[in-house]
Amino acid sequence: MPDRYARSLLRTGLTTTLAAQALTVAGLLAFDTLRKRDRPGRRLPRAESRVIDVDGGRLRIYTSGESLYEDMLADIEAARSHIFFESFIWKNDEVGRAFKDALVRAHERGVEVFVAFDEFANLVVPRSFFDLPDGIHVKRHPLIGHFPYVLPRNLGRDHRKLLVVDHDAAYLGGYNIGALYADRWRDTHARVSGEMVVELSNAFIDYWNVAPGNSVPRVHTPMARTWSQNMRVHRNTPVDMVYPIRNMYLEAIDRAEKNVYLTVAYLLPDSVLERALTDATRRGVDVRIIVPHFSNHIVADWASRARFERLLRGGVRILRYENAMVHAKTATIDGRWSTVGTANLDRLSLAGNYEINIEILDSGVAAQMEEIFAADAQNCTELTLEEWIERPLVLRVSEGLISPYRPLL
C-alpha cells in the first residue's frame, strides 16, 4: 500500500509539473505575440561599414542586411565558375526569390551551382519554392537527422550561412535569407576576399561531402590551402564529433587582458564558459555581453535567465538590446582578436549543430568590431544585479519551470 501511494503521489507531482510547464510556455508565447503586435519599426544605430585590408586579403563587415544582400547578389551575378550557397533559413519572399532567381540565372550561363539548406528550419516555406532546375545541385539537410537517430552526432541542424563565389569572395555570419532580416533585425556578416576564400570553399565542400543528406556529386577538396596565421576558419561538424568553436572562444577569453565584448542572440553558456568569463573579470578585464531583451524565441530567453545572476555577481555586464532582435554572433577582445560567424553561446551551437566562424587577428578589424559594439550599446539598457534580484516572484517561478529544458537549447 505505501508503494502504491508513493507511485500515485509521484504521478500526480509529475503531471502537475508538466501541466505547469505547458501553461508557462503557453503564457510566454501569448505574451510574446501581444508584445510583437503593432510594434513600430525604428531605425537602429549602426557603425559605418568599410573595407579593411588584412594580411592575405580584404574583409568587409556588414551590419545592414540591405547592403549585404546587394553585394551578395552582385557577386552571384558576376560568377563565372562555381557558387556554393548554404543557408539555415531561406524565405519565400522578395529577398529569397531574388536569390533564387540569381542562382538560376548563374546556372543558365554555365556556372556550377551548389545549394544547401536545412529542411527543419524551412518547414513553413512551400516545398515548391525549393524546386530548382535540373543541373543545380541541391543538398537538403534532413528533417530529423539520420539513422541511428538516438545518437546526438546524427541530429545536428545545418545552422550555417555561407556563400562562396568562384575563388573571389566568400560571405559568412548570422544573416539568413529573407526580407525580415534586411532591415528589422540587427545582425553581422563578413565578406572575405583573398587567400581565405579557399578555406571557406573547403568548409562548404567538407559539409557537402560528409553531412547527412544528398551529396551528389561529390566535390573535390581544393588542392591549395593556406596556413594563414591571421585568420582561421573553425567548423563544428557533429557527424565527426568535432566542435572547435567552443574551444576558440575559451582560448581567446582566457588570453584577455583588457576587454571582452560579446554579442549573442542566445546566451546559455555552459559552466566552463561561464567560469572563463567570470575569471576574466576577476583579473580586471571589462566583460560586456549584448543580448536581445526579447529574442525571437521567448522560451530560450527564459531558459537563459538562470545564468544571469551568476554572471552579474561575477562582474559581467549584460546589455539588453531594445525594440529589435539582435541576431549577431560576434566577439572582439583586447583590440586584437575578433570572430564573426553562425555559432551562438548555447549548447545547440557549441555542441550540437553544424556551425562556422572565422577567427581574425587584426587590429583594424578589431577596431571596427569595437565601433559596431559601441553603436549597438547605444540601443541597449544595462541589466544590474540589484534589478535582477528584485524581479517579480512570478518571473522567478516561470524561469524555474522552464530551466529543466535548458540543456536542450
Side-chain angles (χ1 to χ4, degrees):
M1 184 71 70
D3 287 346
R4 185 181 302 173
Y5 176 77
R7 287 196 297 271
S8 175
L9 191 64
L10 180 62
R11 283 195 298 269
T12 301
L14 181 61
T15 301
T16 302
T17 300
L18 291 174
Q21 290 171 338
L23 286 171
T24 299
V25 170
L28 291 174
L29 294 175
F31 165 76
D32 199 44
T33 300
L34 290 172
R35 181 184 63 82
K36 292 176 180 176
R37 184 176 298 171
D38 300 324
R39 187 174 64 188
R42 61 194 296 259
R43 187 167 183 82
L44 303 174
R46 300 182 191 273
E48 182 181 351
S49 177
R50 61 182 181 273
V51 175
I52 302 171
D53 290 317
V54 294
D55 187 30
R58 310 184 86 190
L59 186 139
R60 181 179 179 185
I61 299 170
Y62 298 84
T63 60
S64 163
E66 293 169 311
S67 57
L68 169 68
Y69 295 152
E70 181 180 345
D71 286 359
M72 290 174 76
L73 288 168
D75 277 330
I76 291 172
E77 295 291 356
R80 305 175 305 278
S81 171
H82 62 269
I83 295 170
F84 300 146
F85 175 79
E86 183 179 359
S87 187
F88 181 58
I89 297 174
W90 187 3
K91 296 285 191 182
N92 178 20
D93 56 23
E94 61 269 29
V95 170
R97 289 188 292 271
F99 275 83
K100 180 179 178 179
D101 293 345
L103 292 168
V104 170
R105 286 193 297 271
H107 163 69
E108 290 172 344
R109 64 176 184 267
V111 177
E112 194 166 16
V113 178
F114 295 80
V115 171
F117 65 91
D118 189 279
E119 290 249 63
F120 180 81
N122 292 283
L123 277 175
V124 299
V125 180
R127 296 296 89 190
S128 59
F129 176 72
F130 298 108
D131 291 338
L132 296 167
D134 291 341
I136 293 182
H137 313 298
V138 179
K139 185 183 183 81
R140 300 168 184 262
H141 195 88
L143 185 65
I144 53 172
H146 63 106
F147 186 82
Y149 300 108
V150 294
L151 298 179
R153 66 191 297 172
N154 296 336
L155 296 174
R157 307 310 323 158
D158 179 17
H159 192 242
R160 309 190 329 170
K161 300 93 178 168
L162 179 64
L163 171 68
V164 182
V165 179
D166 297 336
H167 302 292
D168 301 329
Y171 296 80
L172 79 161
Y175 275 100
N176 291 292
I177 304 299
L180 169 67
Y181 317 116
D183 59 358
R184 281 166 282 172
W185 282 27
R186 236 303 284 129
D187 216 327
T188 303
H189 225 76
R191 181 187 190 273
V192 181
S193 63
E195 64 182 11
M196 291 308 294
V197 174
V198 70
E199 295 302 301
L200 291 163
S201 292
N202 184 68
F204 179 90
I205 291 168
D206 280 353
Y207 168 79
W208 183 274
N209 288 340
V210 307
N214 179 50
S215 298
V216 178
R218 185 173 179 84
V219 185
H220 295 294
T221 301
M223 295 297 293
R225 300 280 302 279
T226 176
W227 288 98
S228 172
Q229 297 299 304
N230 300 94
M231 292 188 287
R232 294 178 182 171
V233 175
H234 299 278
R235 301 153 315 176
N236 285 357
T237 309
V239 71
D240 293 331
M241 296 295 286
V242 174
Y243 301 101
I245 296 175
R246 176 177 176 272
N247 287 343
M248 175 198 73
Y249 269 106
L250 288 171
E251 284 288 336
I253 293 168
D254 194 47
R255 285 177 164 82
E257 297 176 348
K258 298 178 182 177
N259 63 272
V260 174
Y261 298 153
L262 301 167
T263 304
V264 291
Y266 313 108
L267 178 64
L268 290 98
D270 59 32
S271 59
V272 178
L273 189 52
E274 178 186 291
R275 185 175 68 239
L277 292 168
T278 54
D279 282 351
T281 65
R282 277 192 285 272
R283 61 177 185 267
V285 178
D286 177 15
V287 179
R288 307 184 198 185
I289 307 176
I290 291 178
V291 297
H293 195 157
F294 295 103
S295 80
N296 60 321
H297 295 302
I298 193 166
V299 176
D301 291 347
W302 248 247
S304 71
R305 292 178 169 210
R307 295 287 185 187
F308 281 8
E309 184 167 337
R310 286 192 288 269
L311 289 170
L312 290 168
R313 287 190 183 279
V316 175
R317 297 177 63 184
I318 297 176
L319 310 178
R320 298 187 294 190
Y321 199 81
E322 302 290 352
N323 301 311
M325 172 61 186
V326 59
H327 191 251
K329 302 94 168 55
T330 62
T332 190
I333 295 176
D334 285 357
R336 301 177 62 185
W337 179 95
S338 305
T339 186
V340 177
T342 69
N344 296 300
L345 296 187
D346 59 17
R347 189 207 62 80
L348 284 177
S349 281
L350 299 182
N353 292 336
Y354 292 84
E355 305 281 1
I356 184 165
N357 273 53
I358 188 167
E359 178 184 27
I360 309 154
L361 281 166
D362 183 271
S363 59
V365 173
Q368 184 168 25
M369 294 295 291
E370 289 183 354
E371 291 173 16
I372 292 169
F373 189 91
D376 288 339
Q378 294 176 28
N379 194 53
C380 292
T381 55
E382 184 166 357
L383 177 65
T384 65
L385 178 60
E386 293 73 20
E387 177 186 354
W388 187 244
I389 291 173
E390 294 173 1
R391 69 194 186 282
L393 178 62
V394 65
L395 297 184
R396 295 170 181 266
V397 172
S398 299
E399 293 155 12
L401 288 168
I402 296 297
S403 63
Y405 299 99
R406 191 169 60 251
L408 301 177
L409 300 173

